[in-house]
Amino acid sequence: MALIHSRPAALPDRPYSDDELSAAVRASNHDTSLASWTVAMMAVGVLVQVGLLASAEPSFAQLALTVLLIPLMAAGSRIVLLLDRASAALGAAANASQILAGLETRSMWTFQARLWSYGTAAAFCLWTVGVQFLAR
């Protein structure tokens, strides 16, 4: 839980090179794209799998898989909220030091979104396998 509510350390007040800013942006953008891709693919997968789940014969397994969809959707929403916090991290930065501090904060939020996306993607894959077995 400490990772979720942690804050980046204060940065020393010194000039920063363009290479340092570029590296910080690149790392943060990688995390953002991975987490965004996970949420997008999960949304498409839910649309496909819910159709299969609805066509299966009513059973306890169908009810269980339907109920398990709720925490999966909540985890996907958590990823979106983390990415929203990351997008607001830069704010009104005026100089390179403020930009790098904003990028550090953005990197923290996007890193958390990436961790959540790993767990959510794994859980979604297991849920999809369950739906596939039920539909067959």
Side-chain angles (χ1 to χ4, degrees):
M1 199 61 147
L3 179 65
I4 293 175
H5 298 291
S6 62
R7 298 280 184 249
L11 296 171
D13 191 21
R14 66 174 177 83
Y16 294 96
S17 70
D18 290 341
D19 290 338
E20 289 175 300
L21 292 173
S22 176
V25 168
R26 204 171 22 255
S28 183
N29 285 347
H30 173 73
D31 290 345
T32 301
S33 63
L34 177 69
S36 300
W37 182 84
T38 300
V39 171
M41 291 301 104
M42 197 171 104
V44 171
V46 164
L47 293 174
V48 172
Q49 300 303 325
V50 165
L52 287 174
L53 192 59
S55 66
E57 290 186 27
S59 65
F60 177 75
Q62 182 186 31
L63 178 63
L65 287 169
T66 303
V67 169
L68 286 174
L69 187 57
I70 295 169
L72 283 174
M73 299 309 293
S77 298
R78 173 71 175 161
I79 295 168
V80 171
L81 291 174
L82 288 168
L83 291 174
D84 182 55
R85 281 193 173 172
S87 70
L90 286 174
N95 58 35
S97 179
Q98 291 175 347
I99 291 171
L100 191 57
L103 285 171
E104 288 289 321
T105 303
R106 180 177 181 238
S107 291
M108 177 195 65
W109 292 118
T110 58
F111 177 73
Q112 290 178 23
R114 182 178 60 160
L115 292 179
W116 273 87
S117 69
Y118 289 154
T120 304
F124 183 74
C125 286
L126 292 174
W127 182 81
T128 301
V129 168
V131 171
Q132 292 295 316
F133 277 126
L134 183 67
R136 303 275 173 203

